[in-house]
Amino acid sequence: AKPWKKDSPGAGARNEALRAIKRFGRTLWRRWSGYHRRSRVETKMNCMKLLGQKLMSRDFDRQTAELQVRIAILNRFTALGIPVTQPVG
């Protein structure tokens, strides 16, 4: 990646991240900045949006229940995708 021009919005933070990556390495930078956690949250929010952009219910309590059902569905999908490993021997 190349540094952005200083007059573009967000250039300072991006250029600083690029300098840190170059100095310490990408793996260390990810741990230090929390990038991996942020990336996982963004992915999960995208999955939430795939289940529907809008809430069907008008009442707040029902909206809360609707979101909890969506989260339970996502958690179940995630649990189905995690492999069960067993030691051999």
Side-chain angles (χ1 to χ4, degrees):
K2 293 184 179 180
W4 287 354
K5 295 178 183 176
K6 295 189 186 266
D7 60 347
S8 56
R14 182 180 187 277
N15 293 341
E16 184 63 34
L18 289 176
R19 280 192 291 276
I21 290 170
K22 190 173 186 179
R23 186 177 212 179
F24 302 114
R26 188 174 298 273
T27 305
L28 204 64
W29 172 77
R30 282 182 183 163
R31 280 195 199 140
W32 173 74
S33 68
Y35 179 81
H36 181 67
R37 177 177 229 151
R38 183 170 52 242
S39 176
R40 290 181 66 171
V41 169
E42 288 175 2
T43 303
K44 207 46 95 168
M45 286 305 296
N46 186 37
C47 292
M48 281 285 291
K49 288 181 180 180
L50 290 175
L51 290 176
Q53 289 278 347
K54 296 180 180 178
L55 296 174
M56 298 294 178
S57 305
R58 291 184 182 182
D59 183 45
F60 179 74
D61 292 333
R62 290 185 178 142
Q63 286 178 349
T64 304
E66 187 177 337
L67 287 174
Q68 288 174 344
V69 168
R70 288 182 188 185
I71 292 169
I73 291 170
L74 283 176
N75 287 339
R76 181 66 179 147
F77 285 162
T78 303
L80 290 173
I82 296 175
V84 177
T85 57
Q86 297 178 350
V88 177

